[in-house]
Amino acid sequence: MTDWIRVCATGELLPGEMRQVWDGATPIVVVNLDGEYYALEDRCSHEDVELSTGSLDPAEGSIECMLHGARFDLRDGRALCAPAYTPVPTFPVKVADGAVWTRDDR
Ligand code: FES
């Protein structure tokens, strides 16, 4: 179990925005979805592409891979459409000391 990784101050991650951080060798994309924070491994399950280079759909609550258009649910990481079928791992997020924190808890 690793320590929590500081993402940024809460004021630096507004609704509809995302940030990438690394926990060791794990890239993590942290998203503010209408005031709720979600963290996913920043790696498409179709090919090794960073999801943070894609786009958010706040209405659906999803992130779309920029390479082939697969979408993943921000809340549970499940693949919503082809060409991805495997979910993306999700990670815990907490708010403490005015900042957003996450970690690879696997
Ligand atoms: S690499 Fe993400 S959809 Fe193909």
Side-chain angles (χ1 to χ4, degrees):
M1 186 73 76
T2 58
D3 289 335
W4 290 90
I5 304 296
R6 187 181 190 276
V7 180
C8 62
T10 52
E12 295 173 329
L13 185 59
L14 300 176
E17 294 184 342
M18 56 181 157
R19 288 229 171 201
Q20 188 203 54
V21 292
W22 289 78
D23 186 351
T26 305
I28 302 176
V29 58
V30 183
V31 178
N32 181 334
L33 180 63
D34 289 333
E36 298 287 328
Y37 299 101
Y38 299 95
L40 292 78
E41 184 167 5
D42 194 6
R43 186 180 287 144
C44 185
S45 65
H46 180 233
E47 290 178 16
D48 189 5
V49 171
E50 292 181 348
L51 291 172
S52 58
T53 60
S55 56
L56 295 174
D57 181 340
E60 186 178 55
S62 65
I63 188 167
E64 180 175 322
C65 179
M66 54 84 73
L67 197 53
H68 308 113
R71 300 194 316 281
F72 298 89
D73 193 300
L74 292 168
R75 290 153 290 217
D76 56 15
R78 73 184 193 279
L80 297 173
C81 70
Y85 300 96
T86 306
V88 170
T90 58
F91 302 118
V93 182
K94 72 172 183 179
V95 175
D97 301 327
V100 182
W101 306 75
T102 190
R103 67 180 177 192
D104 183 349
D105 61 347
R106 291 175 295 184

